[in-house]
Amino acid sequence: MSRLLNAEFHRLIKYKPYWIECIAVVLYGIYATLLNDFGYTPSIDSFLYRALPYIGIISGAVVSQFIGEDYTCGTIRNKLINGHTRKTYYLSELIVNFLANVTVFNFYVITTILAGSLRKWEFEFKTKVLFNCYIACIFTIFLITAMSVFLIILIRYKVAGLITIVSLSIFLLIMGNDSYNKLREPEYLLPNEYEIEEKGITEPIQNVLYYGGTMRKVYELIIFSDPYGQAVYDTELMYDKYIEFDQSKVATYPYIKIIIFSILESTASIVIGIYLFNRKDIR
């Protein structure tokens, strides 16, 4: 397996779409921090993990092309003929692409820190909090990578794989973002100026957009089981707390839940993926 890993890493280093992805992420980090006037002084934290959902989509697209090229060129068949098992090939692609995606994410994080420092922005949260958020992001990236590898290994065709992964990622991002926003709604809101002056309401009122009970558990399950729901949550994880009449805390023990769901879902996709790959006819 080490020989195959080494070969795949060398192929990745020369793979142009991957370097285009890295450059795009760095440029986005520069644009988001250096080239915008906010009218106030933000903290570095607020930008630190913001790009994770979009990095996930782009990385999924690159994974689809990287593995799809093996199918298109017939090199996957040659690798299997040369003594590598399908399990070894599957795991090698997973490891290589996961490390590649983490590297892309690190490029963005480092760019954000350097650019924020140039603008004399400061960190709002302690290192421990930011590190915990970073670890949660890494587990989410692993889940996104596992999902991408699972899909493209089974789809085979580069264009079909690209369309499937990008379309599914966008759908999951929309669903995860919607669930996250719903759970942030507070249970009660202070009356606005019109309600106070025209209706004489002075007490906090029930927020019709608030979800509690069973539906709250359902939306929480969606966030943690959806890799892009996790990614959306990761971007604001350090700010997730209860603020009366302003926002609800999305979930309790989010770091633990992100790690557990990522491990369980990734493991399931790997086991099922290898099983299906072993039964797949490779021409």
Side-chain angles (χ1 to χ4, degrees):
M1 184 172 176
S2 60
R3 187 160 56 91
L4 183 56
L5 275 173
N6 186 56
E8 291 304 289
F9 275 121
H10 276 83
R11 184 162 75 94
L12 179 69
I13 292 173
K14 299 177 182 178
Y15 194 57
K16 290 182 181 179
Y18 174 67
W19 289 108
I20 292 174
E21 177 188 12
C22 292
I23 293 171
V25 165
V26 170
L27 291 177
Y28 175 77
I30 293 173
Y31 167 77
T33 52
L34 285 180
L35 303 180
N36 282 288
D37 184 15
F38 301 96
Y40 64 97
T41 304
S43 65
I44 295 177
D45 318 56
S46 60
F47 290 86
L48 204 53
Y49 308 126
R50 181 180 292 184
L52 179 59
Y54 310 109
I55 290 175
I57 295 175
I58 298 172
S59 295
V62 173
V63 169
S64 72
Q65 300 307 285
F66 185 74
I67 299 177
E69 191 174 87
D70 262 356
Y71 277 118
T72 303
C73 300
T75 51
I76 184 172
R77 185 175 61 252
N78 296 335
K79 291 171 184 176
L80 297 178
I81 292 174
N82 289 331
H84 301 294
T85 65
R86 297 193 183 204
K87 178 181 178 181
T88 299
Y89 176 81
Y90 191 104
L91 294 177
S92 296
E93 294 301 326
L94 177 65
I95 293 170
V96 168
N97 284 286
F98 167 63
L99 295 178
N101 294 341
V102 169
T103 301
V104 171
F105 179 64
N106 287 339
F107 277 143
Y108 170 77
V109 171
I110 292 170
T111 300
T112 301
I113 293 174
L114 293 177
S117 298
L118 286 175
R119 298 197 67 173
K120 301 186 184 305
W121 295 350
E122 297 180 352
F123 288 98
E124 181 179 349
F125 295 92
K126 294 181 180 180
T127 303
K128 181 181 179 181
V129 174
L130 297 178
F131 179 74
N132 288 340
C133 293
Y134 176 80
I135 294 300
C137 290
I138 297 302
F139 275 91
T140 299
I141 290 172
F142 185 73
L143 177 55
I144 291 174
T145 307
M147 180 190 74
S148 301
V149 172
F150 173 85
L151 289 174
I152 192 58
I153 282 285
L154 299 180
I155 293 173
R156 178 189 300 182
Y157 302 106
K158 289 176 68 175
V159 176
L162 176 64
I163 294 173
T164 301
I165 288 178
V166 172
S167 300
L168 179 61
S169 297
I170 292 174
F171 171 76
L172 292 176
L173 176 58
I174 293 172
M175 185 171 65
N177 189 61
D178 178 66
S179 298
Y180 173 75
N181 288 330
K182 285 178 177 176
L183 291 187
R184 288 197 67 186
E185 289 288 341
E187 186 172 3
Y188 292 95
L189 293 170
L190 292 175
N192 57 40
E193 188 174 321
Y194 168 78
E195 290 169 327
I196 294 174
E197 294 180 357
E198 300 295 329
K199 298 184 177 182
I201 300 175
T202 57
E203 297 295 323
I205 56 178
Q206 181 78 39
N207 181 10
V208 296
L209 298 178
Y210 175 79
Y211 285 87
T214 301
M215 286 306 301
R216 190 167 191 85
K217 295 183 185 303
V218 170
Y219 284 120
E220 183 178 325
L221 179 62
I222 291 174
I223 288 177
F224 289 114
S225 60
D226 176 356
Y228 287 91
Q230 284 190 19
V232 170
Y233 197 8
D234 288 336
T235 63
E236 300 286 336
L237 201 51
M238 70 284 284
Y239 296 104
D240 184 32
K241 62 181 178 180
Y242 171 77
I243 302 177
E244 190 175 21
F245 308 129
D246 183 61
Q247 70 177 45
S248 293
K249 182 173 175 59
V250 173
T252 55
Y253 307 110
Y255 301 99
I256 296 175
K257 290 178 181 177
I258 287 173
I259 292 174
I260 290 175
F261 271 85
S262 295
I263 292 175
L264 291 177
E265 289 187 77
S266 298
T267 302
S269 71
I270 293 169
V271 172
I272 297 172
I274 291 174
Y275 172 76
L276 295 177
F277 185 46
N278 283 330
R279 299 172 64 88
K280 186 179 181 66
D281 179 33
I282 299 177
R283 299 182 183 90

